[in-house]
Amino acid sequence: MEPGNDTQLSEFFLLGFSEKQPEIQPLIFGLFLSMYLVTVTGNLLIIMAIIVDAHLHTPMYIFLSNLSFVDICFTSITVPQMLVNIHTQSKVIIYANCITQVYFLLLFSVLDIFLLTVMAYDRYVAICHPLHYMIIMNTRRCGLLILACWIISVINSLLHTFLVLRLSFCTDLEIPHFYCELNQIVHHACSDISLNDMVIYIAALLLVVGPLSGILYSYSKIVSSICAISSVQGKYKAFSTCASHLSVVSLFYCTLLGVYLSSAVTQNAHATAMASLMYTVVTPMLNPFIYSLRNNDMKKALKIVLGRVTRNRSMDLA
């Protein structure tokens, strides 16, 4: 039988948490459903707060609202499919859905990386060039930066997806994740994957290592500027403006590296799935808390949003 003919008929198996006992599957389902609802609700509140409060219509919060939107989409690509699989006790995902998931996972993960990089640049300008901040980070430049993030992410996702579509699969593919992971799919193909591997390595170098280098450079300049401030209060105020972003960057890159290091070091499907869970579910869930708990402006805006929601519900009930 020709391998190419099998591609359209392939069924992919998401092993994820298949090793878990059936009796605790409802508990796992409830846990992940709760985490998903918290993620969506928290990020939606961040977006609504930024829209409602005119004081938050600044570059930093515009980038943050885009990051929250991307986190909602990123989580929605993986968790609903996982919940369906747990509820139906099925590990199967059809070929078309798997490829679609690969495309959107690549799109939103790269968007996450670039938005975090742009936010680091924004903090660099705010702290190192405060007098020129409004000139450098004007509305037009913010829009162009966000547009560039989307264009690069879309091109990267399309490139990887088209390269996967040219591959043939002789047997059903077992993926030790609860979502379709690009590297796992590529390395289970029957046809030549040298081009896919080369593009994956080059993309990782340009789209992961490159932005990380930019973030580290920005924060090296930020630290130098903060150290030059004479007053302790001034140093604290300057550091507090980028502490939340630095926490999110650390969490994002640590979990991202954890996924790929665990895949390289261990063949344990459960360990790999747990590392993937941190990257795709836990990090987007924690981001709203990180950005709101230490930010007084965000707390005030959230109180306004929650107050309006409460009043509207009271009026509806009346």
Side-chain angles (χ1 to χ4, degrees):
M1 182 180 292
E2 292 294 327
N5 294 335
D6 292 338
T7 303
Q8 301 300 325
L9 302 175
S10 294
E11 287 187 336
F12 299 83
F13 292 87
L14 302 177
L15 300 183
F17 302 96
S18 59
E19 295 179 358
K20 293 294 183 180
Q21 297 87 347
E23 58 269 19
I24 67 169
Q25 290 295 316
L27 178 62
I28 296 176
F29 179 88
L31 176 63
F32 290 143
L33 177 60
S34 301
M35 294 172 70
Y36 177 64
L37 293 176
V38 169
T39 301
V40 173
T41 303
N43 283 289
L44 276 177
L45 285 174
I46 293 290
I47 295 172
M48 291 173 62
I50 293 170
I51 293 173
V52 167
D53 193 339
H55 295 94
L56 300 183
H57 294 175
T58 61
M60 180 177 73
Y61 292 108
I62 291 172
F63 295 139
L64 176 58
S65 63
N66 279 269
L67 182 67
S68 294
F69 171 75
V70 169
D71 281 341
I72 292 173
C73 296
F74 186 54
T75 309
S76 298
I77 295 301
T78 56
V79 178
Q81 177 68 51
M82 177 182 64
L83 293 175
V84 169
N85 289 355
I86 293 174
H87 180 69
T88 60
Q89 295 294 300
S90 172
K91 297 176 290 184
V92 176
I93 180 172
I94 63 173
Y95 177 81
N97 289 351
C98 192
I99 298 301
T100 301
Q101 196 176 66
V102 167
Y103 171 80
F104 284 107
L105 279 171
L106 289 170
L107 172 65
F108 294 122
S109 59
V110 173
L111 265 173
D112 251 336
I113 291 171
F114 274 92
L115 285 173
L116 289 173
T117 307
V118 168
M119 292 171 76
Y121 173 70
D122 174 73
R123 292 300 84 203
Y124 159 74
V125 175
I127 294 174
C128 300
H129 305 283
L131 298 179
H132 299 92
Y133 178 75
M134 295 308 298
I135 298 174
I136 297 174
M137 298 303 295
N138 54 61
T139 304
R140 181 173 178 273
R141 178 163 293 183
C142 290
L144 288 175
L145 287 171
I146 293 172
L147 180 62
C149 292
W150 276 93
I151 291 174
I152 295 171
S153 301
V154 168
I155 292 173
N156 174 69
S157 300
L158 286 173
L159 177 61
H160 284 295
T161 304
F162 285 141
L163 288 176
V164 171
L165 288 173
R166 59 182 280 275
L167 298 177
S168 300
F169 300 94
C170 301
T171 58
D172 293 328
L173 176 66
E174 292 187 347
I175 307 171
H177 295 278
F178 56 88
Y179 62 91
C180 291
E181 202 269 331
L182 174 65
N183 199 51
Q184 290 286 336
I185 294 174
V186 168
H187 284 89
H188 281 79
C190 296
S191 49
D192 179 35
I193 62 169
S194 56
L195 179 60
N196 296 74
D197 278 337
M198 182 181 69
V199 173
I200 288 173
Y201 292 140
I202 293 174
L205 185 64
L206 295 177
L207 304 181
V208 179
V209 179
L212 179 59
S213 301
I215 292 173
L216 294 175
Y217 175 80
S218 297
Y219 274 102
S220 68
K221 294 294 185 180
I222 289 171
V223 170
S224 299
S225 296
I226 291 176
C227 291
I229 299 174
S230 56
S231 67
V232 176
Q233 184 178 2
K235 289 182 178 180
Y236 176 78
K237 184 177 180 181
F239 179 75
S240 64
T241 62
C242 56
S244 297
H245 176 259
L246 188 58
S247 300
V248 171
V249 168
S250 302
L251 181 64
F252 180 85
Y253 273 98
C254 285
T255 53
L256 178 62
L257 289 173
V259 171
Y260 291 98
L261 288 177
S262 65
S263 299
V265 173
T266 180
Q267 298 299 318
N268 188 311
H270 176 62
T272 305
M274 290 303 296
S276 303
L277 180 68
M278 288 294 298
Y279 166 56
T280 56
V281 181
V282 177
T283 300
M285 181 183 70
L286 293 179
N287 285 353
F289 295 99
I290 294 173
Y291 275 107
S292 60
L293 290 178
R294 292 174 55 86
N295 189 316
N296 291 327
D297 292 334
M298 186 60 69
K299 287 180 182 178
K300 292 176 183 177
L302 287 172
K303 287 180 181 178
I304 294 173
V305 172
L306 293 174
R308 290 186 179 182
V309 172
T310 303
R311 285 197 299 271
N312 289 336
R313 288 190 63 184
S314 300
M315 291 175 62
D316 291 338
L317 292 173

